[in-house]
Amino acid sequence: MKRALVTGITGQDGSYLAELLLAKGYAVHGLVRRTSTPNLERIQGILSRVTLHPGDLLDGGSLAAVLGKVRPHEVYNLAAQSFVPASFSQPLFTGDVTALGAARLLEAIRQRDPGIRFYQASSSEMFGKIRETPQRETTPFHPRSPYGVAKVYGHWIAVNYRESYGLFACSGILFNHESPRRGLEFVTRKITDGVARIRLGLARTLELGNLDAQRDWGFAGDYVEAIWRMLQQKEPRDFVIATGQSHSVREFVEKAFAHVGLDWRKHVVVSKRFFRPAEVDYLVGDAAKARRLLKWKPRVEFEDLVRMMVDADLARLGGKRIERARRA
Ligand code: NAP
Ligand code: GDD
Protein backbone atom coordinates (compact mmCIF):
# COMPACT_ATOMS: atom_id res chain seq x y z
CA MET A 1 0.00 0.00 0.00
CA LYS A 2 1.38 3.43 -0.99
CA ARG A 3 1.82 5.97 1.83
CA ALA A 4 1.32 9.68 1.19
CA LEU A 5 2.11 12.56 3.53
CA VAL A 6 0.08 15.73 2.97
CA THR A 7 1.11 19.02 4.58
CA GLY A 8 -1.80 21.46 4.75
CA ILE A 9 -4.30 18.59 5.03
CA THR A 10 -6.69 20.81 7.04
CA GLY A 11 -6.87 23.35 4.17
CA GLN A 12 -9.12 23.44 1.12
CA ASP A 13 -6.83 21.49 -1.24
CA GLY A 14 -5.50 19.18 1.46
CA SER A 15 -9.01 17.96 2.24
CA TYR A 16 -9.85 17.23 -1.42
CA LEU A 17 -6.46 15.62 -2.05
CA ALA A 18 -6.78 13.40 1.05
CA GLU A 19 -10.17 12.18 -0.20
CA LEU A 20 -8.75 11.46 -3.64
CA LEU A 21 -5.77 9.55 -2.23
CA LEU A 22 -8.03 7.47 0.03
CA ALA A 23 -10.22 6.61 -2.97
CA LYS A 24 -7.06 5.46 -4.77
CA GLY A 25 -6.17 3.13 -1.91
CA TYR A 26 -3.36 5.13 -0.26
CA ALA A 27 -2.58 5.20 3.44
CA VAL A 28 -3.00 8.94 4.01
CA HIS A 29 -0.97 10.83 6.62
CA GLY A 30 -1.36 14.52 7.38
CA LEU A 31 0.90 17.06 9.06
CA VAL A 32 -1.08 19.33 11.39
CA ARG A 33 0.15 22.26 13.42
CA ARG A 34 -1.00 22.90 16.94
CA THR A 35 -3.97 25.27 17.27
CA SER A 36 -5.83 26.34 20.40
CA THR A 37 -9.19 25.42 18.88
CA PRO A 38 -9.83 22.45 16.56
CA ASN A 39 -9.60 23.22 12.83
CA LEU A 40 -10.41 19.80 11.42
CA GLU A 41 -13.78 20.79 9.93
CA ARG A 42 -12.82 20.15 6.30
CA ILE A 43 -11.55 16.63 7.05
CA GLN A 44 -14.25 15.71 9.58
CA GLY A 45 -15.74 13.14 7.20
CA ILE A 46 -12.45 11.24 6.73
CA LEU A 47 -10.88 11.65 10.18
CA SER A 48 -11.17 7.96 11.02
CA ARG A 49 -9.35 7.04 7.80
CA VAL A 50 -6.34 9.37 7.94
CA THR A 51 -3.45 9.51 10.41
CA LEU A 52 -2.54 12.97 11.68
CA HIS A 53 0.92 13.92 12.94
CA PRO A 54 1.82 17.06 14.87
CA GLY A 55 4.39 19.22 13.09
CA ASP A 56 5.03 22.60 11.56
CA LEU A 57 6.80 23.87 8.44
CA LEU A 58 8.57 26.32 10.76
CA ASP A 59 10.16 23.43 12.65
CA GLY A 60 12.56 21.33 10.58
CA GLY A 61 13.01 18.76 13.36
CA SER A 62 9.30 18.00 13.39
CA LEU A 63 9.36 17.42 9.62
CA ALA A 64 12.26 14.97 9.84
CA ALA A 65 10.53 13.14 12.69
CA VAL A 66 7.27 12.75 10.75
CA LEU A 67 9.11 11.56 7.64
CA GLY A 68 10.94 8.99 9.78
CA LYS A 69 7.69 7.76 11.28
CA VAL A 70 5.55 7.65 8.12
CA ARG A 71 8.22 6.69 5.56
CA PRO A 72 6.03 8.08 2.75
CA HIS A 73 6.37 7.26 -0.94
CA GLU A 74 4.91 10.65 -1.85
CA VAL A 75 4.92 14.03 -0.06
CA TYR A 76 2.50 16.76 -1.10
CA ASN A 77 3.56 20.16 0.27
CA LEU A 78 0.32 22.14 0.34
CA ALA A 79 0.94 23.98 3.62
CA ALA A 80 1.50 27.71 3.37
CA GLN A 81 0.47 31.11 4.66
CA SER A 82 -1.70 31.37 1.55
CA PHE A 83 -3.62 34.65 1.94
CA VAL A 84 -2.09 37.48 -0.12
CA PRO A 85 -3.19 40.43 2.11
CA ALA A 86 -1.76 38.69 5.20
CA SER A 87 1.56 38.48 3.37
CA PHE A 88 1.69 42.28 3.19
CA SER A 89 1.09 42.62 6.94
CA GLN A 90 3.35 39.65 7.83
CA PRO A 91 5.97 39.43 5.08
CA LEU A 92 8.70 37.73 7.13
CA PHE A 93 6.38 35.14 8.63
CA THR A 94 5.03 34.41 5.13
CA GLY A 95 8.57 33.97 3.83
CA ASP A 96 9.44 31.67 6.71
CA VAL A 97 6.43 29.37 6.23
CA THR A 98 5.77 29.57 2.49
CA ALA A 99 9.35 29.86 1.16
CA LEU A 100 11.71 28.41 3.77
CA GLY A 101 9.08 25.84 4.82
CA ALA A 102 9.41 24.21 1.39
CA ALA A 103 13.21 24.19 1.74
CA ARG A 104 13.02 22.64 5.21
CA LEU A 105 10.81 19.85 3.90
CA LEU A 106 12.99 19.22 0.82
CA GLU A 107 16.11 19.12 2.96
CA ALA A 108 14.50 16.65 5.37
CA ILE A 109 13.51 14.49 2.37
CA ARG A 110 17.01 14.67 0.89
CA GLN A 111 18.57 13.57 4.17
CA ARG A 112 15.98 10.90 5.11
CA ASP A 113 14.95 9.34 1.81
CA PRO A 114 15.74 11.02 -1.53
CA GLY A 115 13.54 8.44 -3.27
CA ILE A 116 10.39 10.18 -2.00
CA ARG A 117 8.34 11.89 -4.71
CA PHE A 118 7.65 15.54 -3.84
CA TYR A 119 4.95 17.97 -4.93
CA GLN A 120 5.33 21.73 -4.36
CA ALA A 121 2.17 23.88 -4.41
CA SER A 122 3.27 26.76 -6.59
CA SER A 123 0.99 29.55 -7.72
CA SER A 124 -0.09 31.76 -10.61
CA GLU A 125 0.61 34.65 -8.18
CA MET A 126 4.24 34.15 -9.26
CA PHE A 127 3.35 35.63 -12.68
CA GLY A 128 2.00 38.77 -10.97
CA LYS A 129 2.59 41.65 -13.37
CA ILE A 130 2.23 39.41 -16.36
CA ARG A 131 4.81 39.29 -19.15
CA GLU A 132 2.69 37.33 -21.65
CA THR A 133 -0.84 36.02 -22.15
CA PRO A 134 -1.79 33.29 -21.51
CA GLN A 135 0.76 32.37 -18.85
CA ARG A 136 2.54 29.04 -19.28
CA GLU A 137 5.42 27.13 -17.67
CA THR A 138 8.02 29.25 -19.51
CA THR A 139 6.49 32.67 -18.71
CA PRO A 140 8.90 34.77 -16.58
CA PHE A 141 7.80 35.54 -13.03
CA HIS A 142 7.12 39.02 -11.63
CA PRO A 143 5.44 38.52 -8.24
CA ARG A 144 3.46 41.41 -6.75
CA SER A 145 3.18 40.41 -3.09
CA PRO A 146 5.41 38.92 -0.39
CA TYR A 147 3.30 35.77 -0.85
CA GLY A 148 4.12 35.68 -4.57
CA VAL A 149 7.80 36.26 -3.83
CA ALA A 150 7.79 33.42 -1.28
CA LYS A 151 6.14 31.10 -3.81
CA VAL A 152 8.82 31.93 -6.39
CA TYR A 153 11.42 30.77 -3.85
CA GLY A 154 9.39 27.58 -3.18
CA HIS A 155 9.18 26.90 -6.91
CA TRP A 156 12.90 27.37 -7.56
CA ILE A 157 14.05 25.43 -4.50
CA ALA A 158 11.97 22.45 -5.72
CA VAL A 159 13.51 22.78 -9.21
CA ASN A 160 16.96 23.17 -7.63
CA TYR A 161 16.65 20.00 -5.51
CA ARG A 162 15.57 18.15 -8.65
CA GLU A 163 18.54 19.43 -10.64
CA SER A 164 21.12 19.24 -7.83
CA TYR A 165 20.21 15.97 -6.12
CA GLY A 166 18.00 14.16 -8.63
CA LEU A 167 14.93 14.38 -6.39
CA PHE A 168 11.61 13.57 -8.03
CA ALA A 169 10.27 17.07 -7.31
CA CYS A 170 7.37 18.61 -9.26
CA SER A 171 6.08 22.14 -9.03
CA GLY A 172 2.42 22.64 -9.90
CA ILE A 173 1.72 26.22 -10.94
CA LEU A 174 -1.95 26.31 -10.08
CA PHE A 175 -4.25 29.16 -10.98
CA ASN A 176 -7.00 30.14 -8.52
CA HIS A 177 -9.24 27.25 -7.59
CA GLU A 178 -12.26 27.46 -5.38
CA SER A 179 -14.95 25.35 -3.75
CA PRO A 180 -17.48 25.41 -0.92
CA ARG A 181 -14.46 24.62 1.31
CA ARG A 182 -12.57 27.78 0.30
CA GLY A 183 -11.49 29.97 3.24
CA LEU A 184 -14.02 32.73 3.99
CA GLU A 185 -11.56 35.59 3.40
CA PHE A 186 -10.83 34.73 -0.27
CA VAL A 187 -12.94 36.77 -2.66
CA THR A 188 -15.09 34.01 -4.19
CA ARG A 189 -16.13 32.53 -0.87
CA LYS A 190 -16.55 35.98 0.69
CA ILE A 191 -18.98 36.76 -2.13
CA THR A 192 -20.97 33.50 -1.95
CA ASP A 193 -21.16 33.68 1.85
CA GLY A 194 -22.26 37.33 1.58
CA VAL A 195 -24.89 36.55 -1.06
CA ALA A 196 -26.32 33.75 1.09
CA ARG A 197 -26.44 36.01 4.16
CA ILE A 198 -28.22 38.76 2.24
CA ARG A 199 -30.67 36.29 0.67
CA LEU A 200 -31.49 34.85 4.11
CA GLY A 201 -31.94 38.30 5.67
CA LEU A 202 -28.84 37.94 7.87
CA ALA A 203 -27.02 40.90 6.25
CA ARG A 204 -27.77 43.81 3.91
CA THR A 205 -24.44 44.71 2.34
CA LEU A 206 -21.21 43.13 1.21
CA GLU A 207 -17.96 45.13 1.34
CA LEU A 208 -15.41 44.31 -1.38
CA GLY A 209 -12.24 45.78 -2.88
CA ASN A 210 -11.07 45.84 -6.49
CA LEU A 211 -13.88 44.53 -8.71
CA ASP A 212 -11.81 44.88 -11.89
CA ALA A 213 -9.24 42.18 -11.06
CA GLN A 214 -9.52 39.16 -13.34
CA ARG A 215 -8.73 35.59 -12.43
CA ASP A 216 -8.73 32.16 -14.03
CA TRP A 217 -11.00 30.36 -11.55
CA GLY A 218 -11.37 26.57 -11.48
CA PHE A 219 -12.77 23.98 -9.08
CA ALA A 220 -10.41 22.64 -6.38
CA GLY A 221 -11.78 19.09 -6.75
CA ASP A 222 -10.56 19.04 -10.38
CA TYR A 223 -7.16 20.50 -9.52
CA VAL A 224 -6.13 17.89 -6.93
CA GLU A 225 -6.51 15.24 -9.64
CA ALA A 226 -3.82 17.08 -11.65
CA ILE A 227 -1.60 17.29 -8.56
CA TRP A 228 -1.76 13.52 -8.06
CA ARG A 229 -1.12 12.82 -11.75
CA MET A 230 2.10 14.88 -11.66
CA LEU A 231 3.65 12.47 -9.16
CA GLN A 232 2.63 9.40 -11.22
CA GLN A 233 4.68 10.40 -14.31
CA LYS A 234 7.96 8.80 -15.40
CA GLU A 235 9.80 12.15 -15.21
CA PRO A 236 9.40 14.96 -12.66
CA ARG A 237 8.19 18.10 -14.43
CA ASP A 238 6.45 21.41 -13.67
CA PHE A 239 2.93 22.10 -14.90
CA VAL A 240 0.53 25.00 -15.22
CA ILE A 241 -2.98 24.01 -14.14
CA ALA A 242 -5.74 26.37 -15.27
CA THR A 243 -9.05 26.55 -17.11
CA GLY A 244 -7.91 29.01 -19.80
CA GLN A 245 -10.87 31.32 -19.01
CA SER A 246 -10.62 34.57 -17.08
CA HIS A 247 -13.43 36.48 -15.35
CA SER A 248 -13.51 39.67 -13.32
CA VAL A 249 -14.48 39.85 -9.66
CA ARG A 250 -17.44 41.96 -10.86
CA GLU A 251 -18.62 39.09 -13.10
CA PHE A 252 -18.39 36.66 -10.19
CA VAL A 253 -20.43 39.09 -8.08
CA GLU A 254 -23.08 39.54 -10.81
CA LYS A 255 -23.48 35.81 -11.33
CA ALA A 256 -23.65 35.01 -7.62
CA PHE A 257 -26.31 37.66 -6.86
CA ALA A 258 -28.30 36.80 -10.02
CA HIS A 259 -28.38 33.14 -8.96
CA VAL A 260 -30.57 34.08 -5.96
CA GLY A 261 -32.56 36.73 -7.87
CA LEU A 262 -30.85 39.81 -6.38
CA ASP A 263 -29.36 42.92 -8.02
CA TRP A 264 -25.76 43.20 -6.79
CA ARG A 265 -25.68 46.99 -7.23
CA LYS A 266 -28.11 47.36 -4.31
CA HIS A 267 -25.86 45.46 -1.91
CA VAL A 268 -22.17 45.71 -2.84
CA VAL A 269 -20.09 48.49 -1.28
CA VAL A 270 -16.58 49.08 -2.62
CA SER A 271 -14.12 49.83 0.16
CA LYS A 272 -10.51 50.99 -0.18
CA ARG A 273 -9.77 48.81 2.86
CA PHE A 274 -9.68 45.74 0.62
CA PHE A 275 -7.37 47.15 -2.05
CA ARG A 276 -3.78 45.85 -2.06
CA PRO A 277 -0.51 47.84 -2.12
CA ALA A 278 0.26 46.13 -5.46
CA GLU A 279 -2.36 44.24 -7.44
CA VAL A 280 -2.30 41.32 -9.87
CA ASP A 281 -4.69 42.66 -12.49
CA TYR A 282 -5.14 39.77 -14.86
CA LEU A 283 -4.34 36.07 -14.91
CA VAL A 284 -5.21 33.41 -17.46
CA GLY A 285 -3.36 30.13 -17.79
CA ASP A 286 -2.46 27.81 -20.62
CA ALA A 287 -2.63 24.20 -19.39
CA ALA A 288 -1.71 22.64 -22.75
CA LYS A 289 1.25 20.76 -21.25
CA ALA A 290 -0.98 19.21 -18.55
CA ARG A 291 -3.57 18.28 -21.18
CA ARG A 292 -0.91 16.61 -23.28
CA LEU A 293 1.19 14.79 -20.67
CA LEU A 294 -1.18 14.36 -17.72
CA LYS A 295 -4.32 13.86 -19.85
CA TRP A 296 -5.91 16.37 -17.47
CA LYS A 297 -8.69 18.84 -18.12
CA PRO A 298 -11.00 20.76 -15.81
CA ARG A 299 -14.60 19.55 -15.55
CA VAL A 300 -16.44 22.29 -13.62
CA GLU A 301 -17.20 25.49 -15.57
CA PHE A 302 -17.24 29.00 -14.11
CA GLU A 303 -21.05 29.35 -13.90
CA ASP A 304 -21.41 25.93 -12.24
CA LEU A 305 -18.69 26.81 -9.75
CA VAL A 306 -20.47 30.03 -8.74
CA ARG A 307 -23.79 28.20 -8.35
CA MET A 308 -22.21 25.33 -6.41
CA MET A 309 -20.64 27.74 -3.91
CA VAL A 310 -23.75 29.93 -3.46
CA ASP A 311 -25.97 26.86 -2.98
CA ALA A 312 -23.58 25.38 -0.41
CA ASP A 313 -23.52 28.62 1.59
CA LEU A 314 -27.30 28.93 1.42
CA ALA A 315 -27.67 25.38 2.73
CA ARG A 316 -25.12 25.93 5.50
CA LEU A 317 -26.47 29.29 6.70
CA GLY A 318 -30.12 28.32 6.14
CA GLY A 319 -29.60 25.21 8.26
CA LYS A 320 -27.99 27.30 11.01
CA ARG A 321 -30.89 29.76 10.96
CA ILE A 322 -33.47 26.98 11.32
CA GLU A 323 -31.39 25.50 14.16
CA ARG A 324 -31.28 28.90 15.96
CA ALA A 325 -35.06 29.35 15.54
CA ARG A 326 -35.66 25.85 16.90
CA ARG A 327 -33.53 26.56 20.00
CA ALA A 328 -35.22 29.98 20.64
P1 NAP B 1 -5.41 26.94 2.66
O1 NAP B 1 -6.84 26.50 2.64
O2 NAP B 1 -5.05 28.26 3.18
O3 NAP B 1 -4.60 25.81 3.49
C1 NAP B 1 -3.29 26.06 3.94
C2 NAP B 1 -2.87 24.89 4.82
O4 NAP B 1 -1.53 25.12 5.29
C3 NAP B 1 -3.73 24.70 6.08
O5 NAP B 1 -3.91 23.33 6.31
C4 NAP B 1 -2.85 25.31 7.17
O6 NAP B 1 -3.10 24.79 8.45
C5 NAP B 1 -1.49 24.86 6.69
N1 NAP B 1 -0.39 25.61 7.29
C6 NAP B 1 -0.23 26.95 7.34
N2 NAP B 1 0.91 27.26 7.99
C7 NAP B 1 1.48 26.09 8.36
C8 NAP B 1 2.66 25.75 9.05
N3 NAP B 1 3.50 26.68 9.51
N4 NAP B 1 2.96 24.44 9.25
C9 NAP B 1 2.10 23.48 8.80
N5 NAP B 1 0.95 23.74 8.15
C10 NAP B 1 0.66 25.02 7.94
O7 NAP B 1 -4.78 26.83 1.19
P2 NAP B 1 -5.34 26.04 -0.11
O8 NAP B 1 -6.22 26.95 -0.86
O9 NAP B 1 -5.78 24.69 0.29
O10 NAP B 1 -3.98 25.95 -0.94
C11 NAP B 1 -3.08 24.86 -0.78
C12 NAP B 1 -1.70 25.28 -1.25
O11 NAP B 1 -1.76 25.64 -2.62
C13 NAP B 1 -1.11 26.51 -0.56
O12 NAP B 1 0.28 26.32 -0.50
C14 NAP B 1 -1.45 27.66 -1.46
O13 NAP B 1 -0.54 28.71 -1.28
C15 NAP B 1 -1.30 26.99 -2.82
N6 NAP B 1 -2.11 27.52 -3.90
C16 NAP B 1 -3.45 27.69 -3.74
C17 NAP B 1 -4.22 28.14 -4.80
C18 NAP B 1 -5.71 28.32 -4.68
O14 NAP B 1 -6.29 28.99 -5.53
N7 NAP B 1 -6.35 27.74 -3.67
C19 NAP B 1 -3.60 28.42 -6.04
C20 NAP B 1 -2.23 28.23 -6.16
C21 NAP B 1 -1.50 27.76 -5.09
P3 NAP B 1 -4.21 25.45 9.44
O15 NAP B 1 -5.51 24.78 9.09
O16 NAP B 1 -3.68 25.11 10.78
O17 NAP B 1 -4.24 26.93 9.16
N1 GDD C 1 -9.71 38.55 -0.64
C1 GDD C 1 -10.37 39.55 -1.25
N2 GDD C 1 -11.33 40.23 -0.54
N3 GDD C 1 -10.06 39.85 -2.52
C2 GDD C 1 -10.77 40.85 -3.12
C3 GDD C 1 -11.77 41.55 -2.46
C4 GDD C 1 -12.05 41.25 -1.10
O1 GDD C 1 -12.90 41.83 -0.46
N4 GDD C 1 -12.29 42.45 -3.32
C5 GDD C 1 -11.64 42.30 -4.48
N5 GDD C 1 -10.70 41.34 -4.36
C6 GDD C 1 -9.75 40.93 -5.42
C7 GDD C 1 -8.30 40.93 -4.97
O2 GDD C 1 -7.77 42.26 -4.98
C8 GDD C 1 -7.67 40.01 -6.01
O3 GDD C 1 -7.34 40.73 -7.17
C9 GDD C 1 -8.82 39.03 -6.35
O4 GDD C 1 -10.00 39.59 -5.79
C10 GDD C 1 -8.63 37.63 -5.82
O5 GDD C 1 -8.31 37.70 -4.45
P1 GDD C 1 -8.25 36.38 -3.53
O6 GDD C 1 -9.50 35.60 -3.65
O7 GDD C 1 -7.84 36.83 -2.17
O8 GDD C 1 -7.13 35.46 -4.23
P2 GDD C 1 -5.69 35.81 -4.81
O9 GDD C 1 -5.81 35.74 -6.31
O10 GDD C 1 -5.11 37.01 -4.21
O11 GDD C 1 -4.84 34.57 -4.29
C11 GDD C 1 -5.37 33.24 -4.33
O12 GDD C 1 -4.99 32.64 -5.56
C12 GDD C 1 -3.59 32.43 -5.73
C13 GDD C 1 -3.38 31.81 -7.10
O13 GDD C 1 -3.28 32.83 -8.07
C14 GDD C 1 -4.85 32.48 -3.13
O14 GDD C 1 -5.50 31.23 -3.05
C15 GDD C 1 -3.36 32.21 -3.25
O15 GDD C 1 -2.95 31.35 -2.18
C16 GDD C 1 -3.10 31.54 -4.60
O16 GDD C 1 -1.75 31.23 -4.77
Side-chain angles (χ1 to χ4, degrees):
M1 191 189 236
K2 265 199 194 170
R3 289 179 298 278
L5 173 66
V6 181
T7 75
I9 195 168
T10 56
Q12 171 188 256
D13 292 6
S15 68
Y16 282 107
L17 180 65
E19 287 169 15
L20 180 87
L21 293 170
L22 285 171
K24 293 194 180 294
Y26 280 71
V28 177
H29 296 259
L31 182 88
V32 287
R33 57 180 176 163
R34 193 259 164 189
T35 50
S36 65
T37 43
N39 63 345
L40 304 175
E41 206 178 313
R42 293 185 179 103
I43 52 170
Q44 207 59 51
I46 53 168
L47 263 187
S48 61
R49 295 192 289 146
V50 297
T51 311
L52 301 181
H53 303 267
D56 199 304
L57 283 193
L58 293 174
D59 186 330
S62 72
L63 303 178
V66 174
L67 287 178
K69 208 166 170 187
V70 175
R71 291 183 297 108
H73 301 93
E74 296 171 8
V75 170
Y76 296 87
N77 184 32
L78 306 185
Q81 189 305 90
S82 74
F83 190 45
V84 171
S87 79
F88 284 105
S89 55
Q90 299 164 65
L92 300 187
F93 172 73
T94 301
D96 209 350
V97 177
T98 304
L100 291 181
R104 283 186 196 100
L105 190 50
L106 279 162
E107 187 51 19
I109 288 173
R110 184 179 77 83
Q111 289 183 17
R112 285 259 156 190
D113 176 4
I116 290 172
R117 293 188 168 210
F118 177 82
Y119 173 81
Q120 170 61 15
S122 293
S123 164
S124 51
E125 268 291 303
M126 301 190 303
F127 297 122
K129 196 170 165 62
I130 52 168
R131 306 275 184 92
E132 66 172 337
T133 295
Q135 296 84 54
R136 47 177 74 91
E137 291 80 4
T138 49
T139 303
F141 301 138
H142 185 148
R144 296 273 281 169
S145 63
Y147 167 80
V149 173
K151 281 291 179 185
V152 171
Y153 178 95
H155 170 82
W156 284 119
I157 198 73
V159 172
N160 181 259
Y161 270 57
R162 181 170 76 216
E163 293 176 353
S164 306
Y165 308 117
L167 250 58
F168 193 108
C170 298
S171 170
I173 307 175
L174 272 53
F175 283 62
N176 298 50
H177 45 279
E178 320 294 312
S179 75
R181 300 183 199 169
R182 186 57 142 154
L184 279 164
E185 71 272 59
F186 297 93
V187 78
T188 56
R189 186 71 199 291
K190 186 175 169 186
I191 294 166
T192 62
D193 176 75
V195 164
R197 281 177 195 280
I198 293 167
R199 175 74 277 178
L200 293 167
L202 302 169
R204 288 205 179 148
T205 55
L206 171 63
E207 246 187 285
L208 293 171
N210 178 15
L211 302 184
D212 295 320
Q214 288 176 261
R215 290 291 184 276
D216 180 331
W217 278 298
F219 171 53
D222 289 344
Y223 284 39
V224 296
E225 176 74 35
I227 291 176
W228 174 75
R229 287 186 191 198
M230 284 180 217
L231 291 203
Q232 313 314 311
Q233 303 304 299
K234 280 211 178 76
E235 301 288 329
R237 288 192 177 94
D238 308 323
F239 290 93
V240 157
I241 302 297
T243 70
Q245 308 283 321
S246 195
H247 299 272
S248 66
V249 172
R250 184 177 288 100
E251 271 176 87
F252 195 106
V253 166
E254 273 168 14
K255 291 255 175 323
F257 276 89
H259 182 52
V260 297
L262 292 173
D263 179 358
W264 69 277
R265 285 176 205 83
K266 296 190 176 142
H267 302 282
V268 170
V269 178
V270 171
S271 165
K272 287 283 167 219
R273 202 152 63 92
F274 296 107
F275 281 65
R276 298 172 182 185
E279 177 63 288
V280 173
D281 297 317
Y282 179 78
L283 290 174
V284 65
D286 175 1
K289 184 176 172 187
R291 273 200 305 278
R292 195 173 74 250
L293 297 176
L294 304 179
K295 311 285 175 234
W296 176 87
K297 65 172 190 312
R299 289 170 196 283
V300 178
E301 306 251 338
F302 178 69
E303 276 80 5
D304 296 329
L305 178 65
V306 177
R307 282 195 287 267
M308 176 205 298
M309 291 177 69
V310 172
D311 289 343
D313 277 321
L314 276 173
R316 178 178 61 90
L317 292 164
K320 271 191 190 157
R321 197 171 65 159
I322 293 166
E323 189 52 39
R324 263 200 306 275
R326 207 179 280 139
R327 276 203 304 267

